[in-house]
Structure formats: C-alpha cells, structure tokens
Amino acid sequence: MARRLRAEIAEGVHHLWRTPVLRTLTAAGFGLNVAAGGVLALLVVHADQALGLRPEDQRLGLLYAAAAVGSLIAAVLLPRASRWAGQGTVSIAGLTIFVAALVGLVGTSAFTLALAGWAIWAVARLGVNANGITVRQLLTPDALQGRVNTTGRMLAWGGTPFGALIGGLAADTYGVRVAYLMLAVPVVLSLALVVASPVRGLRIAVD
C-alpha cells in the first residue's frame, strides 16, 4: 500500500515537472502562499499596529469580512477574466495586484482604505490560486487528475505555514509594516518567474 502511494505521488510530481506551465504555476503558487500565510497570520497585529484597533474592537470582523467579499468577487470574475484575457494574463495581473494591495496596506492607517485593501488583496490571492488549479486540471489527463491535483495543491499551498513563521518572526523583530514588505518579496519573485515563462502567453479555450 505504501509503495503504491509513493508511486502515485511520484507520477503526480513527474507530470507537474515535465509540464513547464504547471511547473511554473506550482512554484509561483508556493511563493504566493508563503506571503498569504504570513499576511493572514498577522491581520490582527496589522490592525493593532497600523490601524490602532484593539483586539476587542468589533471592526476586526469587518477586515475578515472584506477579505471574504474579495474572495467571492474573485470567484465570480475569474471565469470571465480567463476567457477575455487568458490564464497567463490573469496570473500576472493577480500577482501584481497582490503586491500592490500589500504595499497599500503597509502605507495606510485609515480603516476604510484598509478595508478596500484587504478586499483587493483577497481578490488577487484567490484569483491566482484558483487560476492555477484550473490550468492544472485543464492540462492534466483524466487518469492523473487525482494524483496531480493532490500533489500540486500540497506543493503550492505548502508555503503557507512557512509564511506564517517568517511573518511572525519579522513582525516581532521589525514591526508588522516591515514584515508585510518582506512577505511581498516571494510574490515579486513569483511574478518574475511567470513573466519569464510560457505562462505569460497562456490562453486555453474553455467551453
């Protein structure tokens, strides 16, 4: 049983590695989720240090709600954006918006602007992740869907706990604003990787 499981995992990794688009999107997803893990883990700290909200302030819930609304918007817009601009452009735009929203959160102390920033950040985060999942499903044979998608998600989302650790250590040492800027770095690297790869012009027709 263990041998069969290892073989199936190896098949998933092999398909991801020998497909340049999937290899790039998986690596980019890892970088994105390193940042996302740290950013979300520090939301309350950011609200305290940057926005002046105490832990008992009910407006904290609105920040989480703004992120949820952003995710809903991304889910609605993603299929249309993919058909109109192509999956490669969606990835590039999403990574760019992610960084811009994060820098915006660093630069503001206004609660209303932070609400908008969290919503925009969530649009980018879900848009990039869901776009990567969609492309992976479209470029994977039916017989390999389970093992490739499981492996791809494990690798791409595996950056999340590392981001939480890095973000926590950085915020404790330098403050949350600097921590957020540091967390933007892996996303910038992911963006550079995507732009320099075949993903840049990717457009897959979907019925």
Side-chain angles (χ1 to χ4, degrees):
M1 183 67 178
R3 183 177 301 175
R4 179 180 177 183
L5 179 61
R6 287 195 297 269
E8 291 181 352
I9 293 173
E11 281 186 290
V13 172
H14 179 66
H15 182 74
L16 286 173
W17 182 255
R18 66 186 175 89
T19 309
V21 166
L22 298 186
R23 184 172 67 236
T24 300
L25 287 177
T26 301
F30 179 85
L32 177 90
N33 285 303
V34 166
V39 170
L40 279 177
L42 293 173
L43 187 151
V44 175
V45 179
H46 173 264
D48 179 20
Q49 293 186 8
L51 306 178
L53 302 185
R54 307 310 305 165
E56 65 274 9
D57 195 315
Q58 295 182 354
R59 286 178 293 175
L60 282 172
L62 293 178
L63 296 175
Y64 284 103
V69 170
S71 297
L72 177 61
I73 292 172
V76 172
L77 294 181
L78 180 60
R80 301 174 188 177
S82 296
R83 286 193 296 269
W84 176 66
Q87 292 84 359
T89 300
V90 168
S91 285
I92 292 171
L95 291 166
T96 302
I97 294 169
F98 186 106
V99 173
L102 196 50
V103 171
L105 287 171
V106 169
T108 187
S109 297
F111 178 74
T112 52
L113 292 178
L115 277 179
W118 277 107
I120 294 169
W121 175 85
V123 169
R125 179 199 178 207
L126 182 67
V128 173
N129 276 327
N131 183 64
I133 293 170
T134 300
V135 172
R136 189 164 62 237
Q137 291 175 338
L138 290 171
L139 296 182
T140 299
D142 290 344
L144 294 176
Q145 284 287 340
R147 62 202 70 177
V148 170
N149 280 292
T150 299
T151 304
R153 287 177 69 91
M154 180 184 68
L155 293 173
W157 288 78
T160 303
F162 295 104
L165 176 61
I166 293 168
L169 292 174
D172 187 55
T173 305
Y174 305 109
V176 71
R177 293 184 192 271
V178 174
Y180 273 9
L181 290 177
M182 292 174 64
L183 288 167
V185 172
V187 188
V188 172
L189 295 176
S190 293
L191 176 60
L193 179 64
V194 169
V195 169
S197 77
V199 175
R200 180 176 181 176
L202 182 65
R203 181 188 286 268
I204 306 172
V206 181
D207 296 332

